[in-house]
Amino acid sequence: MDINNITIKNALEGLKNKDFSSEELTSKYLERIKKIDKELNAFITVDEEGALNQAKKVDELIQSDEDIFEEKKLIGIPFGFKDLYSTKDLKTTAGSKIIDNYIPPYDATATKKLKDAGVVIIGKTNEDAWGHGSSGENSDLGPTRNPYDLTRVPGGSSSGSAAAVAANECLAATGTDTGSSVRLPAAFCNLVGLKPTYGRVSRYGIISMASSFDTIGHITKTVYDNAKILEVTAGRDEFDSTTPDIPVPCYTTALNENQGIKGLRIGISKEYYIEGVDKDVESLTLKAVKHFESMGAVVKNVSLPHTGYAMSCYYILVPAEISSNLARFDGIRFGKTRDQFGNEAKRRIMLGTYVLSSGYYDAYYEKAAKVRTLIKQDFENVFKEVDVLIVPSSPTLPFKIGEKTDDPLQMYLSDIFMCPINIAGIPSLNVPCGFVESLPVGMQIIGPQFSEELLYKVAYKYEQETEYYKIQPKI
Ligand code: GLN
């Protein structure tokens, strides 16, 4: 088995045919981590002993029960978990100093579902502390590097998850996306990353960033793998009242070669093809659109007129929710003293407290909440005319480590094409669409609420013809 060229799909086949065991597979990834992670810094915690024990257990199950692959859909697959996911008895730091010795007494719902499906947790991945960031550089435990170019960022905040999957330190990883944090690192590391519809996957047990924006997504090499994981994690959870009781489709069933996309209506929104966007990024995105056209899709120009207000709206509402969520880490009941918060967390606590304070609440928070509705309506209106939107994921290529750390506004602008999606609560899938000077470029396929099945279908078709996922980093 060659872990450089393996996906969840063929790893499951290999396990089923007994070509290799989960223990062998897991050991390969652990070896790889030992070899390269000093340089990459994708993991905060590696649970070697736990992972090998888990792998041995699933191997016994596989030996004794032929049908186990039906019951446990991800049996034996080595995963990295973002360090915002509560994992029972396994240290969970949120990438922060404040809770750097916290051992959760329970599993997040998504963790539990994945464990029940048989995954092997290799370890916990690095991230911008509390999810605040676009580059991984806000981690209190040091930045992660991009496996395609070690002098560059892997994207954030699920920086370790993306770097680990791209560098073959695990087969898949979990992430969270409040404004970009699954999609941006996926884009910068040549991976597939889904930001699902708000409420599609339970937030219970995931350390909160901004509760009305947080979504729970996953990072993989291929579209099929991503769909397979969502089948496990999605659905109603009695511990999270924002998860509606909408049936979870078998997302992978829709993915087959024969299904065409003829007649698919793709929208191109002029607000996402603007001055200042890297020309190569823009042209690769438009090239992908042309590719869809050649497969029978119909392209239409549309407008989302309130897009220009999205960043301001996001950076009022999100810090407001952050300041409230981080108030519990008071140094008395939870965590270390508040002076241990990093600069970015402090900045957001101050911003959030300011926009919620009396006298400013109406001017900022309430106004931004109204703008949020307008942005959401923009999307509802265009989805009357088109089935999906295709836009660039990031306005730039993966940037150099240190390039934007002194300029928070420049850093915030990395999310300009992503945060409107979280404001609206709709799903968006990052899909690799090419390379510029050996650096990966991603595009987003965006759809209306609960259209994940369609997004996967569209992306799958494109991936089958382009196969960018086969281009590996040199590390
Ligand atoms: N970069 C965004 C921020 O810092 C997104 C964070 C996220 O999605 N967790 O707010």
Side-chain angles (χ1 to χ4, degrees):
M1 142 222 2
D2 169 13
I3 55 166
N4 290 329
N5 290 308
I6 206 165
T7 61
I8 293 182
K9 190 170 190 222
N10 47 42
L12 286 170
E13 278 160 17
L15 289 167
K16 203 171 187 172
N17 296 335
K18 309 216 166 55
D19 297 336
F20 47 81
S21 66
S22 175
E23 191 182 346
E24 284 168 317
L25 188 65
T26 304
S27 304
K28 287 257 186 197
Y29 286 108
L30 288 167
E31 271 166 40
R32 175 101 174 131
I33 291 172
K34 277 194 188 132
K35 206 167 136 209
I36 62 167
D37 204 58
K38 267 202 183 68
E39 218 169 354
L40 213 56
N41 201 23
F43 280 93
I44 291 174
T45 304
V46 179
D47 184 19
E48 180 166 0
E49 198 189 323
L52 289 171
N53 281 339
Q54 185 60 27
K56 279 180 201 150
K57 272 196 203 131
V58 303
D59 282 335
E60 278 165 28
L61 280 177
I62 294 171
Q63 285 301 336
S64 63
D65 181 359
E66 291 264 294
D67 300 325
I68 196 75
F69 289 87
E70 295 302 313
E71 191 192 315
K72 294 186 179 291
K73 288 188 175 196
L74 294 166
I75 190 159
I77 301 298
F79 261 66
F81 274 54
K82 186 178 187 177
D83 223 8
L84 277 183
Y85 281 61
S86 297
T87 43
K88 189 170 188 291
D89 300 331
L90 185 59
K91 194 174 76 175
T92 298
T93 69
S96 77
K97 273 201 195 133
I98 296 274
I99 52 166
D100 63 0
N101 54 8
Y102 168 58
I103 314 253
Y106 74 111
D107 279 326
T109 296
T111 307
K112 182 169 186 318
K113 283 182 162 186
L114 289 166
K115 278 186 178 173
D116 289 347
V119 309
V120 171
I121 302 181
I122 289 251
K124 303 297 290 289
T125 57
N126 202 355
E127 54 158 297
D128 289 294
W130 313 104
H132 307 165
S134 307
S135 68
E137 293 164 292
N138 291 337
S139 167
D140 290 349
L141 299 137
T144 303
R145 295 174 183 277
N146 189 319
Y148 284 89
D149 177 346
L150 295 172
T151 67
R152 292 176 190 267
V153 303
S157 64
S158 312
S159 44
S161 288
V165 177
N168 301 307
E169 294 185 324
C170 54
L171 248 176
T174 66
T176 62
D177 193 313
T178 301
S180 67
S181 286
V182 162
R183 291 161 289 158
L184 193 64
F188 281 5
C189 294
N190 193 37
L191 298 166
V192 177
L194 176 74
K195 178 239 169 278
T197 305
Y198 181 78
R200 182 70 295 191
V201 179
S202 167
R203 288 178 292 112
Y204 177 73
I206 311 288
I207 295 169
S208 308
M209 178 176 159
S211 307
S212 78
F213 292 76
D214 293 346
T215 57
I216 311 309
H218 315 301
I219 297 178
T220 55
K221 291 205 166 159
T222 65
V223 173
Y224 180 95
D225 287 3
N226 212 289
K228 186 94 182 168
I229 302 173
L230 191 66
E231 282 171 16
V232 171
T233 56
R236 166 89 189 131
D237 177 17
E238 60 171 320
F239 296 126
D240 177 356
S241 61
T242 61
T243 53
D245 201 2
I246 294 176
V248 177
C250 186
Y251 297 109
T252 48
T253 317
L255 310 181
N256 63 61
E257 266 79 306
N258 311 327
Q259 282 215 11
I261 53 154
K262 203 166 180 323
L264 178 84
R265 297 169 305 166
I266 296 176
I268 300 293
S269 161
K270 62 172 189 277
E271 291 80 6
Y272 287 74
Y273 294 85
I274 48 174
E275 196 59 42
V277 179
D278 184 288
K279 284 292 151 224
D280 292 322
V281 169
E282 185 172 295
S283 74
L284 280 179
T285 312
L286 289 170
K287 191 174 150 205
V289 172
K290 280 256 171 305
H291 193 112
F292 281 113
E293 232 175 347
S294 73
M295 291 191 275
V298 185
V299 177
K300 196 170 172 191
N301 289 319
V302 294
S303 172
L304 297 151
H306 297 94
T307 304
Y309 303 104
M311 288 303 289
S312 321
C313 172
Y314 180 90
Y315 276 100
I316 290 171
L317 297 178
V318 167
E321 294 188 22
I322 287 173
S323 70
S324 149
N325 275 327
L326 291 184
R328 77 191 62 165
F329 299 101
D330 54 8
I332 300 167
R333 289 169 306 160
F334 300 114
K336 299 199 171 128
T337 50
R338 288 173 77 81
D339 58 330
Q340 298 289 310
F341 274 118
N343 285 345
E344 187 60 32
K346 284 182 185 158
R347 185 177 295 124
R348 295 191 189 210
I349 292 168
M350 286 189 282
L351 258 175
T353 312
Y354 179 78
V355 299
L356 287 175
S357 56
S358 108
Y360 294 107
Y361 178 92
D362 303 353
Y364 293 107
Y365 184 82
E366 195 177 74
K367 211 175 235 171
K370 288 179 180 163
V371 173
R372 183 178 198 174
T373 303
L374 296 175
I375 292 171
K376 183 166 174 281
Q377 284 169 351
D378 277 358
F379 283 105
E380 283 162 6
N381 289 337
V382 299
F383 287 130
K384 288 179 192 146
E385 294 175 58
V386 296
D387 303 306
V388 296
L389 291 159
I390 292 185
V391 307
S393 284
S394 157
T396 66
L397 294 166
F399 46 89
K400 291 267 187 195
I401 292 179
E403 192 180 321
K404 299 190 183 180
T405 37
D406 294 335
D407 189 347
L409 254 176
Q410 274 308 313
M411 188 71 92
Y412 293 172
L413 284 171
S414 313
D415 302 334
I416 189 165
F417 298 149
M418 292 190 163
C419 68
I421 319 303
N422 300 69
I423 291 173
I426 54 179
S428 168
L429 187 65
N430 177 79
V431 190
C433 67
F435 281 80
V436 176
E437 289 162 11
S438 308
L439 295 172
V441 176
M443 64 177 172
Q444 296 181 85
I445 307 178
I446 307 165
Q449 286 200 334
F450 298 99
S451 63
E452 284 83 358
E453 192 173 16
L454 173 67
L455 303 188
Y456 281 136
K457 228 164 74 180
V458 174
Y460 181 79
K461 207 67 200 157
Y462 177 76
E463 181 189 74
Q464 290 297 299
E465 299 198 5
T466 53
E467 295 193 323
Y468 291 119
Y469 68 92
K470 293 193 170 161
I471 302 175
Q472 299 282 329
K474 287 194 187 71
I475 185 172

